Amino acid sequence: MVISGRYLLLENKYYVILTVHDISKERVLKSSLQHSNEKFLCFFDNVTVGCAICDKDGKLVEVNDTYVRYMGTTSKNEAVNQLNIYTNPCINPEFKEIMKAGVPVSEEVKYDYEKINKYYVRSCHKGVHYFRFIVNYMWNAGGEVENILIIWVENTLIHKALRQNNMFREIITYASSISKIGFCSLNLSKSEQLMTPEYLKNLGIKEEIDMPRIFSNLEHAHPDDRKFFLEYIEKADYENGAVIRIMTDGEYRWVKQYLIQQVFDLENRNIVLAGVNVDIDVQKRTEEALRIAKESAESSDRLKSAFLTNMSHEIRTPLNAIVGFFNLLINADNKDDFDNFK
């Protein structure tokens, strides 16, 4: 407790008025606020994302170590009270207008360190990085922005991974289209699917549809092949595959479908089929043409053999007579016998 007093003059006499103050609650509150502030500063300095606090005009008043590292500066002193978020050349002007309106922001920012070095602050970094740029605000009692809270999350590796994934997907799609080979991954229990456009095209499907319908309603398959194909799907026999006819652009084309059970985990409801289908129409037509040519050649060979057999018989008969007469002439004893023969 704290006791304070003051004098009061009344009718030429002084009176002392004592006041007792209970400051225990104030001390507890002050200690609590100090402890909370220390915890916040500890979190602020050690969190693994870049954090900055700006005043209402955008000037940086506090940054953490990760922010300094992202900026590529040597110390906080190069940023605090020196830089303004609104003059950062890498932040989209649209985002800056949103911030001035006090609206939260969560967008990706392409951070070009060449621009940073040229127009903002000297940085030890080079090249281009990508960050998730998150903005929120602290308001005063009058409903006005008092501070701007900014978080930077490094997204460069994720961005590169996504870009590489997109490039890989484009390569697969292109190769699939050129080779007429379709690829797919079907999770039967979760109704999840991933497939190339060529896979659907080979099945006579022009637009992506619900996964169960792909194999449950084979309206594009030749009627004579549907039962066989459904039986194959149940077995998912990758080694042999299923050769079926699919109606595409008004005509039946030959397609070979392979399916394999990639994952079978009933406990976690995870059943995945991996599939490949190939347009083998040209191959089948070539095989048919070769078969017809072979049959034609075999037929021609049989005709040739029959012809030679018949010709041999027809030629052999007169030749026998000629040979016989020739032998008689050779064996004749005198010229008179030869004249008589004539």
Side-chain angles (χ1 to χ4, degrees):
M1 288 185 183
V2 175
I3 301 175
S4 61
R6 62 188 179 88
Y7 292 98
L8 176 62
L9 179 61
L10 183 61
E11 295 180 353
N12 297 322
K13 293 183 180 180
Y14 285 97
Y15 296 89
V16 179
I17 301 176
L18 300 177
T19 305
V20 179
H21 298 277
D22 186 355
I23 63 169
S24 58
K25 291 183 179 180
E26 293 180 7
R27 286 181 175 176
V28 170
L29 180 59
K30 183 178 179 180
S31 175
S32 177
L33 289 173
Q34 184 178 356
H35 182 63
S36 297
N37 187 50
E38 290 174 354
K39 290 202 308 185
F40 170 76
L41 289 176
C42 180
F43 170 80
F44 184 82
D45 286 333
N46 293 286
V47 69
T48 56
V49 296
C51 296
I53 301 175
C54 305
D55 64 16
K56 63 179 181 179
D57 297 318
K59 184 172 67 174
L60 274 66
V61 296
E62 188 61 65
V63 297
N64 69 350
D65 292 337
T66 305
Y67 186 90
V68 172
R69 188 170 72 252
Y70 286 169
M71 290 296 299
T73 55
T74 57
S75 69
K76 294 181 181 181
N77 294 333
E78 294 183 52
V80 174
N81 297 321
Q82 302 297 320
L83 301 178
N84 190 301
I85 197 67
Y86 290 124
T87 61
N88 188 320
C90 293
I91 297 177
N92 191 312
E94 180 185 349
F95 301 162
K96 294 177 182 177
E97 292 301 318
I98 294 174
M99 291 168 61
K100 290 177 181 178
V103 178
V105 178
S106 180
E107 299 289 345
E108 186 176 75
V109 170
K110 180 181 178 181
Y111 221 71
D112 187 343
Y113 284 102
E114 183 177 347
K115 287 184 179 181
I116 293 297
N117 274 286
K118 190 173 182 180
Y119 301 109
Y120 197 52
V121 68
R122 180 63 59 186
S123 173
C124 65
H125 297 316
K126 296 181 180 180
V128 175
H129 282 223
Y130 293 86
F131 293 94
R132 173 60 59 177
F133 180 60
I134 303 171
V135 181
N136 220 317
Y137 310 91
M138 295 178 64
W139 308 83
N140 60 23
E144 297 176 338
V145 173
E146 191 170 274
N147 289 104
I148 304 172
L149 307 179
I150 299 174
I151 296 176
W152 296 87
V153 182
E154 174 75 68
N155 266 0
T156 305
L157 293 178
I158 296 175
H159 185 89
K160 288 183 178 179
L162 290 174
R163 185 173 60 184
Q164 290 174 353
N165 182 59
N166 288 335
M167 290 176 60
F168 181 74
R169 184 180 179 87
E170 289 175 1
I171 292 172
I172 291 295
T173 300
Y174 179 74
S176 175
S177 176
I178 294 299
S179 63
K180 295 185 178 180
I181 301 175
F183 305 94
C184 80
S185 177
L186 308 174
N187 192 315
L188 302 180
S189 55
K190 298 181 181 179
S191 297
E192 296 175 353
Q193 58 186 8
L194 178 65
M195 59 190 66
T196 63
E198 199 67 24
Y199 187 86
L200 296 172
K201 182 180 179 182
N202 287 343
L203 290 177
I205 302 169
K206 294 185 177 180
E207 296 180 359
E208 190 167 346
I209 61 175
D210 292 337
M211 183 272 299
R213 193 181 157 206
I214 290 179
F215 293 140
S216 63
N217 185 13
L218 299 173
E219 64 226 31
H220 301 289
H222 193 285
D224 296 342
D225 298 338
R226 291 175 188 171
K227 182 179 179 182
F228 160 73
F229 189 39
L230 289 173
E231 290 175 351
Y232 170 78
I233 293 170
E234 292 179 1
K235 296 177 182 177
D237 182 5
Y238 182 79
E239 292 185 1
N240 297 318
V243 178
I244 59 174
R245 288 161 288 182
I246 297 291
M247 176 66 72
T248 304
D249 297 328
E251 64 175 353
Y252 281 109
R253 299 181 64 85
W254 288 97
V255 173
K256 190 162 189 177
Q257 172 73 58
Y258 296 93
L259 284 173
I260 186 171
Q261 196 173 86
Q262 187 176 7
V263 178
F264 188 77
D265 185 2
L266 285 178
E267 184 177 347
N268 296 311
R269 298 183 68 252
N270 195 23
I271 303 174
V272 180
L273 290 181
V276 177
N277 58 23
V278 188
D279 185 332
I280 60 170
D281 192 68
V282 174
Q283 176 186 335
K284 291 291 288 185
R285 292 180 187 277
T286 302
E287 289 176 356
E288 182 64 15
L290 289 174
R291 185 188 65 79
I292 294 174
K294 179 183 177 183
E295 290 180 354
S296 177
E298 290 175 347
S299 177
S300 297
D301 189 61
R302 286 194 298 271
L303 290 173
K304 177 182 176 182
S305 297
F307 172 77
L308 292 176
T309 300
N310 291 334
M311 288 301 296
S312 176
H313 175 73
E314 296 296 330
I315 293 173
R316 189 168 57 247
T317 300
L319 281 178
N320 288 337
I322 293 171
V323 170
F325 286 127
F326 185 74
N327 288 331
L328 289 174
L329 290 174
I330 293 174
N331 296 325
D333 294 334
N334 54 55
K335 187 175 179 299
D336 293 337
D337 291 338
F338 177 73
D339 292 336
N340 292 332
F341 175 76
K342 292 196 289 183

